Amino acid sequence: RDGIIESGTHSDVEMICVINKGTGEIRLVSVYRDTYLQVSEDGKYHKINQAYFDGGHEQAVEALNRNLDLEIDDYATFNWKAVADAITILGGIDLEISDSEFEYINSFITETVESTGLGSHHLEHAGMNHLDGVQAVAYARLRLMDTDYNRTARQRLVISLAMEKAKQADAQTLLTVVNAVLPQISTSIGIDDVLPLAKNITRYHIGESGGFPFSRGEANIGKKDCVIPLTLESNVIQLHQFLYDDMEYVPSEEVKA
């Protein structure tokens, strides 16, 4: 929100992305922002999005690695405007807006316009719509009509549709996306990493996606509504099966503890 991309802001969208360079398959897992985990090395427990607030990308990545037995290689943090710019440059996306989503989306479009400074307009009806970047970000933020779990599914849908548009785009359009987005984001990936990916984008496809924790409950902890992995150990096993097809995976002693 408002262009902030390091500590001092909550990372309300967290996704783990695994790219299989052999098959070209990309797997996505949303980590629900309210998931109650250990967010710092000194043993502090909180919602996982607090790790980014406290220590930016370094603490956020470290917390995901420690709680989920991951070894994340790279990260990218996007603000609203970077996402909106990318989707608009790609020509927007087409998707079905339900009646309940339509009730809320125009107020979210207004808020997204005010935050990003980008122009857009309200939608006129539910059903199939062509969304520009601002409208797509607004759609990905909807949760008032259902749950944060459903919101993460909308986010993954937006990414999948944007990916398909990127695969149809010409080289100049993809270069325009890279040049527009990279200066706005915080990332460990440089333009020399991105350009070969963009050049070979037709080799890649988004396969399965899901949300973590897979098995969960909910609890109010310290006046915070939290998502509880049931159990962390079994969920981490399932995560490694999902991301890496590792059916023999045994969680670390740290995860078990």
Side-chain angles (χ1 to χ4, degrees), residues 62-120:
E62 188 273 329
L64 291 171
N65 284 341
R66 187 174 62 258
N67 285 275
L68 307 180
D69 274 358
L70 297 174
E71 295 180 23
I72 293 172
D73 299 307
D74 287 295
Y75 82 96
T77 303
F78 298 82
N79 57 34
W80 293 0
K81 184 175 180 295
V83 178
D85 283 341
I87 291 175
T88 294
I89 293 166
L90 290 170
I93 57 175
D94 297 308
L95 56 74
E96 190 91 18
I97 305 288
S98 70
D99 290 337
S100 60
E101 290 167 344
F102 180 67
E103 285 184 35
Y104 290 96
I105 193 167
N106 284 332
S107 63
F108 279 78
I109 290 171
T110 297
E111 186 183 11
T112 307
V113 165
E114 291 171 351
S115 175
T116 62
L118 300 173
S120 187

Side-chain angles (χ1 to χ4, degrees), residues 126-217:
M128 186 57 71
N129 276 268
H130 181 75
L131 305 186
D132 63 25
V134 168
Q135 294 162 340
V137 169
Y139 174 80
R141 295 183 51 235
L142 293 176
R143 68 182 175 92
L144 298 176
M145 81 294 298
D146 44 41
T147 65
D148 188 50
Y149 309 131
N150 296 73
R151 174 165 67 165
T152 68
R154 283 187 278 272
Q155 292 158 359
R156 296 191 301 274
L157 173 60
V158 167
I159 288 175
S160 296
L161 292 171
M163 177 75 172
E164 289 308 306
K165 290 299 290 281
K167 290 170 72 170
Q168 298 163 19
D170 59 31
Q172 184 56 51
T173 301
L174 293 177
L175 183 60
T176 303
V177 170
V178 171
N179 287 333
V181 169
L182 267 185
Q184 299 187 63
I185 70 176
S186 172
T187 182
S188 56
I189 300 170
I191 194 163
D192 292 339
D193 303 306
V194 175
L195 289 180
L197 285 171
K199 184 179 179 182
N200 296 312
I201 195 165
T202 54
R203 287 192 55 244
Y204 297 99
H205 65 280
I206 295 177
E208 293 183 85
S209 74
F212 181 94
F214 304 92
S215 302
R216 58 187 181 264

Side-chain angles (χ1 to χ4, degrees), residues 218-236:
E218 297 177 2
N220 189 280
I221 302 173
K223 298 183 180 178
K224 299 184 291 290
D225 291 324
C226 298
V227 176
I228 312 299
L230 298 176
T231 61
L232 180 61
E233 186 176 339
S234 61
N235 272 289
V236 169

